[in-house]
Every structure is written in structure tokens, then in C-alpha cells.
Amino acid sequence: MDIQNNGRQFYIGEEKDPKALLAYEPIDEHTVRAYHTVTSKELQGQGVAGKLYEAFIEYVKKEDLKVQADCSYVRKKMEESEEDKKYRV
């Protein structure tokens, strides 16, 4: 599974018509806002959203960012992990 990052979303498939995505945007130089996660019907139930989240959180950690989790899926995943919680604003 090839996960891409274009600076606004982690996605699978074509950038303009992804099969799954986790969208985010910078708020400032230290914070990003995760606001949407979606998976196409054909990929649902395969753990794809979790893989997108893992790629996103690795990016956050590598770049030493904080996350404003407006997406309910990202918020839930961050709350489930003690380590990931410290990256929330």
C-alpha cells in the first residue's frame, strides 16, 4: 500500500481522486489541524484509515508538531495512545 503525502493530505491512489485520505493543514509553524479522514467503500475494513493515521503521526513526530484534532477519527486515535496524546493541543 503506497501512502503519499502532498503537504495537505496523506492519501492512497491518485492525488486528485484518492481512494482514502487523511487531510490536514498548517495552522502555524508548530501546529497542524487534522480535519478529515475518509476511505472508499472498496478499501473499508482493511485498516487503511489506521495506516494513514500512522503515517500522519510519524510525520507529526518527525517534524515536532502539535495537532489540533478536528477530525473525530484522528482525535479518537490520539486519545487511545498515551504517546500520541502529548502531540495534541
Side-chain angles (χ1 to χ4, degrees):
M1 188 169 309
D2 189 28
I3 298 175
Q4 301 292 318
N5 177 13
N6 66 4
R8 294 280 185 183
Q9 64 185 2
F10 284 87
Y11 64 95
I12 295 168
E14 299 298 320
E15 183 175 356
K16 294 189 190 279
D17 187 26
K19 294 180 184 277
L21 68 86
L22 187 156
Y24 68 97
E25 63 186 1
I27 294 176
D28 59 38
E29 62 188 44
H30 304 291
T31 313
V32 292
R33 178 177 84 96
Y35 62 90
H36 187 60
T37 304
V38 65
T39 305
S40 66
K41 291 221 184 268
E42 68 187 84
L43 295 179
Q44 288 178 358
Q46 299 177 38
V48 172
K51 289 180 172 65
L52 290 170
Y53 173 79
E54 289 170 14
F56 171 71
I57 204 69
E58 286 305 312
Y59 164 76
V60 165
K61 292 174 182 178
K62 180 181 173 204
E63 299 296 322
D64 195 27
L65 298 169
K66 294 289 187 179
V67 176
Q68 179 179 310
D70 290 347
C71 169
S72 60
Y73 180 78
V74 171
R75 187 171 44 251
K76 178 179 177 261
K77 294 295 280 184
M78 291 187 88
E79 284 298 315
E80 290 173 351
S81 167
E82 286 302 317
E83 181 173 337
D84 294 355
K85 278 183 190 179
K86 66 185 174 188
Y87 294 97
R88 285 204 47 202
V89 290

